[in-house]
Amino acid sequence: MIDQLLLGFATALEPQNLLFILLGVLLGQIVGALPGLGPSAGMALLLPLTFGLEPVTAVMMLAGIMYGGQYGGTLTSVLIAVPGEASGVMTAVDGNAMARQGRAGAALSISAIGSFLAGIGAVTAVALLAPPLASFGLKFNAPEYFLLALLGVLAIGSLGGSPIKSLAAAVLGLMIALIGVDPLTGTPRLSFDQPLLMKGIDFIPVVIGVFGIAEVLASLERIESVKPIRTRLRDMWLTSNDWAVCRLSIVRGGVIGLFVGIMPGAGASIASLLAYLTERKFSRSPETFGKGAIDGVAAAESANNAASHGAAIPMLSLGIPGSASTAILLAALILHGIRPGPQLMTQESALVWGLIASMFVGNVFLLILNLPLAPVFAALLRIPYVYLAPSILGISLVGAYAATLDISTVWMSLVFGLLGYAMIKFGIPRPPLVLALVLASLMETSLRQALLLSFGSPMIFLERPISALLLCAVALAIVLPVLTAIRQRRFAERMKRGAR
């Protein structure tokens, strides 16, 4: 492992790769600092920029956008109480309260340091845990691949609120992926005799529309013209008391974020919420939470950054995206001709270990950028969002066109933007749709191969020990959210009867 990691650093420290890691982190900071956009939307919008790059360079840059965007959202959370995405909600609660007390610099500083320490710890865990998981994954065949992909879709779908809405979004993603021509028989399906649909729906317009354009449209409704709180470089220093309060908060938040990030579908928002609630229980002054608790900010920020790195473990070792951001990273691998899965670490070891090493380098860049340049990034927030929104939409559509050089991609992006906006309005989670779209090809191919191996018998999924365990996990992923929803509904009905 040490030899492979040294090889990864040799790859990451090449001048071209260093430049694109820095560019990715910087773009992630800017995208994350713009209210309404988050890491996944930023990665989707900037994915076309990676075309023409070497696969390892492209993945390093996109990964930089992923964890750079996590901290960029901290600026909006602290200074104007508008989280860049859901994972910044808990930071906005106490971070903005600190800013109103004149401690915006301290909130931004502990966020940067906590994110750095938790990120380094999580990347170390990626280097330690990904190889053994990948070795285990080499025992997989078609039945296991199908169930693993299905489990990935169900896992992220089960945490999106309503299980029915999550399942509907996943089914919609699978339907979109099936549009085009059957890869085995060559017959059209779901194309409705439209030549435009015969070639299928590309991933680029879907992700740009559903995440990027939809977020901008939704943000225009909720962003108010609030003047951000200014911060200065001299306000970034932390006191010894701040360190004493926060050092264990960073450790606890990092550990929680790592384990939540490894769980496919859990995501940074759940990690930050769990870390915040845990820290409140451990705190000597829980009454300060919600009123400017610096340890609450440290725990939440450490957790969401650790979770964004931890999500790379199932992606690199098993080919299961652990979050919406890693789903886009997975799609980028596919677009660059690399098939993800357990073989990735052996067939593309330079890319995998280069990516892991680039995360170490990128986190150092983040720390260097955030401590002295946080006031500069905060200046972006003084631009009214009504002026930023047309620019973001323009960049989105130009990126969609540049990806295929086909004007139909632009129209598709707009259509999926409206679809994503409707999903936001109706409370339908979007990550299950994107994950289903990414994993549909693997699911379909593996299912067909498994049934061919068994001459059409579904017993192949029970006869193999690993596939039988995965089938049980799939069943639990379907049943548990339904049982939870039924239990919550019955509890709500009992409360209503008690109130009467």
Side-chain angles (χ1 to χ4, degrees):
M1 188 196 73
I2 294 174
D3 290 341
Q4 294 286 355
L5 192 57
L6 290 174
L7 173 65
F9 273 107
T11 304
L13 294 176
E14 291 177 4
Q16 179 185 358
N17 291 338
L18 271 179
L19 176 63
F20 278 97
I21 294 170
L22 177 60
L23 180 62
V25 167
L26 189 60
L27 289 173
Q29 289 263 258
I30 294 171
V31 167
L34 298 176
L37 293 180
S40 53
M43 293 170 71
L45 295 175
L46 299 170
L47 183 58
L49 295 180
T50 66
F51 295 158
L53 298 177
E54 290 293 325
V56 63
T57 306
V59 172
M60 286 178 181
M61 177 181 167
L62 285 172
I65 296 171
M66 178 178 71
Y67 49 82
Q70 284 291 345
Y71 182 78
T74 305
L75 295 170
T76 58
S77 299
V78 171
L79 298 175
I80 59 174
V82 177
E85 64 163 7
S87 62
V89 171
M90 305 318 298
T91 304
V93 172
D94 281 287
N96 189 252
M98 288 181 65
R100 291 196 302 271
Q101 297 165 11
R103 303 206 65 208
L108 293 173
S109 184
I110 197 63
S111 298
I113 295 169
S115 295
F116 169 75
L117 295 175
I120 291 295
V123 176
T124 304
V126 172
L128 291 171
L129 297 178
L133 269 178
S135 299
F136 173 72
L138 290 174
K139 300 177 182 178
F140 286 19
N141 207 328
E144 289 82 8
Y145 278 127
F146 168 71
L147 293 172
L148 198 59
L150 180 60
L151 182 62
V153 174
L154 292 173
I156 197 168
S158 64
L159 294 165
S162 167
I164 296 175
K165 290 182 179 179
S166 298
L167 182 61
V171 170
L172 181 59
L174 293 173
M175 291 175 65
I176 293 170
L178 291 174
I179 293 173
V181 176
D182 188 297
L184 291 184
T185 63
T187 56
R189 58 187 186 188
L190 299 179
S191 60
F192 306 102
D193 296 326
Q194 296 296 319
L196 180 63
L197 298 178
M198 291 286 286
K199 58 184 179 182
I201 303 294
D202 195 66
F203 175 80
I204 297 292
V206 176
V207 76
I208 287 178
V210 169
F211 276 105
I213 295 174
E215 283 289 352
V216 173
L217 294 177
S219 298
L220 285 172
E221 291 185 347
R222 62 176 183 261
I223 298 298
E224 300 176 357
S225 55
V226 180
K227 290 186 177 180
I229 300 167
R230 295 174 181 266
T231 186
R232 298 165 296 181
L233 182 59
R234 63 174 177 266
D235 297 330
M236 303 294 290
W237 296 106
L238 296 172
T239 65
S240 57
N241 184 58
D242 292 334
W243 275 113
V245 170
C246 294
R247 61 188 180 208
L248 291 179
S249 305
I250 293 172
V251 174
R252 283 190 287 263
V255 171
I256 291 171
L258 173 64
F259 282 100
V260 172
I262 292 174
M263 296 165 50
S269 55
I270 292 175
S272 63
L273 176 61
L274 286 177
Y276 184 87
L277 295 176
T278 302
E279 197 55 38
R280 186 173 182 177
K281 291 184 180 295
F282 277 96
S283 177
R284 294 180 180 177
S285 51
E287 69 280 357
T288 62
F289 277 65
K291 303 175 184 177
I294 191 170
D295 44 344
V297 175
E301 283 299 302
S302 300
N304 67 36
N305 200 42
S308 69
H309 289 81
I313 293 176
M315 187 204 76
L316 293 175
S317 57
L318 300 174
I320 297 179
S323 64
S325 299
T326 49
I328 296 172
L329 206 57
L330 192 71
L333 289 174
I334 297 171
L335 288 172
H336 283 85
I338 296 171
R339 182 179 177 180
Q343 294 88 358
L344 183 65
M345 297 203 74
T346 53
Q347 295 177 354
E348 299 287 345
S349 60
L351 182 145
V352 172
W353 289 101
L355 174 60
I356 293 172
S358 76
M359 291 181 179
F360 283 104
V361 176
N363 274 281
V364 174
F365 282 155
L366 268 177
L367 187 66
I368 295 171
L369 284 172
N370 285 319
L371 289 180
L373 296 182
V376 178
F377 285 121
L380 286 171
L381 304 177
R382 288 194 277 274
I383 303 173
Y385 194 73
V386 291
Y387 298 136
L388 287 174
S391 303
I392 295 170
L393 286 173
I395 293 170
S396 304
L397 298 179
V398 169
Y401 178 75
T404 59
L405 297 179
D406 188 348
I407 194 65
S408 64
T409 308
V410 176
W411 292 111
M412 284 186 183
S413 298
L414 291 172
V415 170
F416 283 108
L418 294 175
L419 173 64
Y421 176 72
M423 293 175 76
I424 293 173
K425 298 298 288 184
F426 287 102
I428 300 174
R430 291 165 294 159
L433 184 151
V434 176
L435 270 178
L437 181 65
V438 170
L439 296 174
S441 176
L442 176 63
M443 289 174 65
E444 180 185 11
T445 305
S446 302
L447 178 60
R448 285 182 163 183
Q449 288 175 348
L451 294 177
L452 284 172
L453 288 171
S454 65
F455 300 100
S457 172
M459 292 303 294
I460 192 172
F461 297 106
L462 292 172
E463 293 167 352
R464 300 168 63 90
I466 297 176
S467 65
L469 288 173
L470 288 173
L471 189 61
C472 292
V474 167
L476 286 174
I478 295 173
V479 171
L480 286 179
V482 176
L483 293 178
T484 302
I486 293 173
R487 192 180 300 114
Q488 289 175 346
R489 186 176 299 175
R490 289 178 177 174
F491 179 75
E493 289 174 356
R494 285 198 300 268
M495 292 296 289
K496 285 182 181 178
R497 287 197 295 268
R500 291 173 187 172

